[in-house]
Amino acid sequence: MDTLRIAVNGVSYTEASEIYKPHADPFTGPITNLAPWNFAVLATLMFVITSLSLFENFTVMLATYKFKQLRQPLNYIIVNLSLADFLVSLTGGTISFLTNAKGYFFLGNWACVLEGFAVTYFGIVAMWSLAVLSFERYFVICRPLGNVRLRGKHAALGLLFVWTFSFIWTIPPVFGWCSYTVSKIGTTCEPNWYSNNIWNHTYIITFFVTCFIMPLGVIIYCYGKLLQKLRKVSHGRLGNAKKPERQVSRMVVVMIVAYLVGWTPYAAFSIIVTACPTIYLDPRLAAAPAFFSKTAAVYNPVIYVFMNKQFRKCLIQLFTGKPAPENMNATSQRPGMTGESCTGGEMSAIAARIPVCGNAQPKNEEESPSECSTVAQLPIPENKVCPM
């Protein structure tokens, strides 16, 4: 540790220039003056988070593989989210557990770059998956393009966009625009937020805008429009007629809050450190946002999958082995009702009541169907296994 020797009243004192300073080589030794129990606590936390995430997200992918009725266009992005969270935990979570158990990043520089890229890449894929999911729900419920429905090709284009766009903004540090380096605590790797280089600052700012602000904007806009549509649908309804709208409204609020809770601390930390690279932060405090963001891989499946009653029924069948009710075994038993017309649970009931070109159904049943009438207006039972 660098020290400064001073004399006061003839007595010599040694003042540390930094309270915590990484080992001269972060790949060969731990941070000095940081008790080993700190790393033991982090290793335990990462073991629990990683184990839960791997189990939950693998279960989601297994259920989708087992039950054909879950493999619908609006579920593609949900499974993609589970895949991204699974890979975040498999790479970043596993490596972080091992390095914290050891007390430093003993795997070397190449593994540091690999972990930094993999965690950032898969994490941004998960973030943009949430944004695309919000857009798809807006597309299905609000129907901005009229008669155009969400189909497999549209969902596939969404997946292609998510993986390509995320790769474009996470690969530059590997080739010199910024870099992936060891964090202040010395057991994880991340983009180099602490660089004084202006060129690196341009990457951090661009990364912040494209990978946090933009997906957050899409989520707020789409769910805002969705809530606006729900208010129009529920206007004048009483009692149980408003129940689906209330449930979806609560779900939307939970989704937005979960996104902000998981990623805002990490995004705010990166901007603060980039703006003030000389700021002193306790290594444990500096590491907290990155570790906290990894918890998103645990609660994402709970919010986006396990709160979906159709997924939940299939999961119960998967674990108990009991046959599902007959009305769960098909999604297109009724004429005019296809898997792509289902949107799942409460959202399917809402979409069924919203005409494509207007805000209300014809007043008189005897009136001939208008051009706004579509198959989406058919009542869709909530107990059908349709994607949400």
Side-chain angles (χ1 to χ4, degrees):
M1 187 189 316
D2 294 338
T3 58
L4 176 65
R5 189 171 292 277
I6 57 177
V8 180
N9 295 330
V11 180
S12 179
Y13 294 90
T14 299
E15 182 179 285
S17 59
E18 279 189 56
I19 298 177
Y20 297 102
K21 182 179 178 181
H23 191 276
D25 184 355
F27 302 115
T28 59
I31 289 178
T32 56
N33 295 339
L34 196 59
W37 67 264
N38 291 279
F39 299 108
V41 170
L42 289 177
T44 303
L45 289 175
M46 288 312 304
F47 177 79
V48 173
I49 292 172
T50 302
S51 300
L52 286 175
S53 173
L54 291 176
F55 173 75
E56 290 177 0
N57 289 290
F58 179 77
T59 300
V60 172
M61 293 185 286
L62 180 62
T64 306
Y65 172 78
K66 288 281 188 180
F67 297 94
K68 183 178 180 180
Q69 58 266 44
L70 295 178
R71 299 197 291 272
Q72 304 294 337
L74 199 55
N75 273 352
Y76 292 178
I77 199 68
I78 294 180
V79 178
N80 187 73
L81 174 62
S82 291
L83 175 62
D85 285 338
F86 181 86
L87 293 175
V88 166
S89 299
L90 186 64
T91 55
T94 302
I95 291 177
S96 183
F97 164 70
L98 295 174
T99 54
N100 278 288
K102 189 75 172 180
Y104 65 98
F105 207 95
F106 66 96
L107 299 173
N109 184 68
W110 70 271
C112 177
V113 175
L114 177 63
E115 191 224 8
F117 168 73
V119 171
T120 305
Y121 180 40
F122 299 135
I124 300 306
V125 167
M127 291 175 68
W128 268 107
S129 294
L130 299 178
V132 171
L133 180 60
S134 69
F135 176 78
E136 288 182 348
R137 285 173 167 173
Y138 161 75
F139 184 89
V140 169
I141 299 299
C142 299
R143 294 198 283 275
L145 299 182
N147 290 327
V148 178
R149 293 182 297 158
L150 181 70
R151 299 184 182 276
K153 62 181 180 180
H154 302 132
L157 286 175
L159 298 182
L160 179 63
F161 165 79
V162 165
W163 287 91
T164 302
F165 190 83
S166 301
F167 183 80
I168 289 173
W169 295 113
T170 53
I171 196 62
V174 177
F175 297 103
W177 189 15
C178 198
S179 61
Y180 290 113
T181 187
V182 180
S183 64
K184 287 292 185 180
I185 203 167
T187 55
T188 59
C189 291
E190 59 190 4
N192 189 2
W193 315 118
Y194 298 91
S195 173
N196 290 314
N197 190 302
I198 298 300
W199 178 244
N200 292 340
H201 285 187
T202 61
Y203 170 78
I204 298 301
I205 295 172
T206 305
F207 180 80
F208 175 77
V209 171
T210 57
C211 298
F212 179 75
I213 295 298
M214 286 178 61
L216 178 60
V218 171
I219 289 173
I220 292 176
Y221 175 81
C222 292
Y223 282 143
K225 287 292 186 179
L226 178 58
L227 291 176
Q228 185 179 17
K229 177 67 71 173
L230 293 179
R231 283 196 297 269
K232 291 181 180 180
V233 171
S234 61
H235 181 67
R237 297 179 184 273
L238 298 174
N240 292 334
K242 286 188 176 182
K243 184 178 179 181
E245 287 83 354
R246 288 197 301 266
Q247 290 177 337
V248 174
S249 297
R250 286 195 297 268
M251 180 182 63
V252 167
V253 172
V254 170
M255 290 171 181
I256 294 176
V257 171
Y259 179 93
L260 293 174
V261 169
W263 293 105
T264 299
Y266 193 56
F269 166 78
S270 65
I271 290 299
I272 291 173
V273 172
T274 301
C276 307
T278 58
I279 188 174
Y280 171 75
L281 292 172
D282 185 296
R284 293 164 294 189
L285 178 63
F291 281 94
F292 189 68
S293 66
K294 290 184 174 65
T295 61
V298 175
Y299 60 72
N300 276 340
V302 176
I303 296 173
Y304 293 93
V305 177
F306 297 113
M307 289 179 66
N308 181 322
K309 67 171 63 176
Q310 285 72 37
F311 260 105
R312 194 163 60 246
K313 288 179 180 179
C314 289
L315 290 172
I316 292 173
Q317 180 180 348
L318 178 67
F319 286 110
T320 63
K322 296 180 180 179
E326 292 183 3
N327 58 6
M328 286 185 60
N329 294 332
T331 60
S332 57
Q333 293 177 349
R334 294 172 54 181
M337 182 172 137
T338 65
E340 291 180 344
S341 69
C342 298
T343 59
E346 292 79 11
M347 282 198 173
S348 64
I350 296 168
R353 292 198 297 266
I354 301 176
V356 174
C357 306
N359 295 326
Q361 300 281 6
K363 294 181 181 179
N364 299 323
E365 293 181 359
E366 297 179 357
E367 294 182 9
S368 60
S370 67
E371 61 180 1
C372 298
S373 299
T374 67
V375 69
Q377 291 176 271
L378 291 174
I380 301 175
E382 292 185 15
N383 60 358
K384 293 290 182 182
V385 182
C386 302
M388 187 170 191

